[in-house]
Amino acid sequence: GSILNIPFKEKSFDFVVCVDVLEHLAKEQRIKALEEILRVVKNEIFIGIPCGWQSYQQDKKLDSQYRKIFGRQFPFFQDHLKFGLPEESEIIQGLNFASKRNHQKIIIKIQGNENLRLREFLMKGWMTKNILTDFIYRKLFLLLIPLFRLFDKPPYYRQLFFVKIEP
């Protein structure tokens, strides 16, 4: 199915998770997607999405680097650059608009996720043709995830939206 027309009845799910999806939609489609998510959920929604101008600029820079290394655009960046990344305020407004259309009251909590500098460092390491560098960044650094969490401070690449539907 499509997030723009989710093939389930209203309130089919207690919880809906939507991670790294909305940035792949045109701006006008994002509100429709949020309406659909709110339509099929009973209790809570979790949305994770890259947000803001700094995140967009980083994607643009990393896309340029990827093109230099591999001679083509990485599909991950294609929609980000085509549609732009939403601002946090756009998602909040979209959720509020969609909840009113669905006759719901919501509570939104937001948390930053993925420090921009750390993400850039890791992404540059992942964009390599060197087998050893690739191994270090994709395998060995997995052991350092608890340490990397210490760097999870602003500025953030992604925002996490925790949305509670009030009964």
Side-chain angles (χ1 to χ4, degrees):
S2 166
I3 195 166
L4 301 174
N5 188 18
I6 300 174
F8 294 97
K9 295 185 289 184
E10 290 182 16
K11 299 180 180 174
S12 292
F13 303 98
D14 291 327
F15 197 86
V16 172
V17 176
C18 179
V19 177
D20 292 338
V21 175
L22 299 176
E23 71 275 17
H24 296 281
L25 301 174
K27 189 173 183 169
E28 59 276 3
Q29 293 178 314
R30 291 175 187 155
I31 290 176
K32 175 64 176 153
L34 292 171
E35 285 180 18
E36 280 294 286
I37 291 169
L38 279 158
R39 182 183 66 76
V40 299
V41 72
K42 285 184 217 171
N43 302 318
E44 295 181 51
I45 302 167
F46 171 79
I47 297 171
I49 184 170
C51 284
W53 181 249
Q54 286 181 301
S55 298
Y56 176 80
Q57 289 300 101
Q58 186 178 93
D59 280 356
K60 199 171 169 181
K61 182 178 172 184
L62 290 169
D63 179 62
S64 176
Q65 182 174 346
Y66 190 91
R67 286 173 187 257
K68 286 178 188 170
I69 296 168
F70 295 100
R72 59 182 163 76
Q73 185 176 38
F74 186 62
F76 175 85
F77 294 123
Q78 190 172 4
D79 290 341
H80 291 203
L81 301 180
K82 178 180 176 183
F83 300 126
L85 299 179
E87 294 293 329
E88 180 180 302
S89 60
E90 178 189 335
I91 300 301
I92 292 169
Q93 289 170 354
L95 285 165
N96 285 323
F97 177 81
S99 68
K100 285 179 182 147
R101 296 225 12 184
N102 284 313
H103 309 289
Q104 296 162 309
K105 285 185 121 180
I106 59 172
I107 299 169
I108 304 169
K109 292 186 181 176
I110 304 164
Q111 179 180 324
N113 175 252
E114 200 171 10
N115 175 270
L116 268 170
R117 288 180 205 90
L118 178 59
R119 178 182 182 267
E120 183 175 17
F121 168 74
L122 292 172
M123 291 292 287
K124 285 181 176 179
W126 292 330
M127 292 189 294
T128 182
K129 290 183 176 182
N130 181 296
I131 294 170
L132 180 59
T133 301
D134 187 65
F135 175 78
I136 291 169
Y137 276 80
R138 292 182 184 268
K139 303 295 184 214
L140 196 57
F141 279 1
L142 289 176
L143 300 172
L144 298 178
I145 287 175
L147 178 65
F148 289 159
R149 289 191 178 138
L150 297 174
F151 295 97
D152 201 20
K153 295 177 172 70
Y156 293 111
Y157 175 71
R158 175 180 288 103
Q159 295 295 329
L160 307 177
F161 297 83
F162 300 90
V163 183
K164 178 122 176 91
I165 310 331
E166 291 189 333

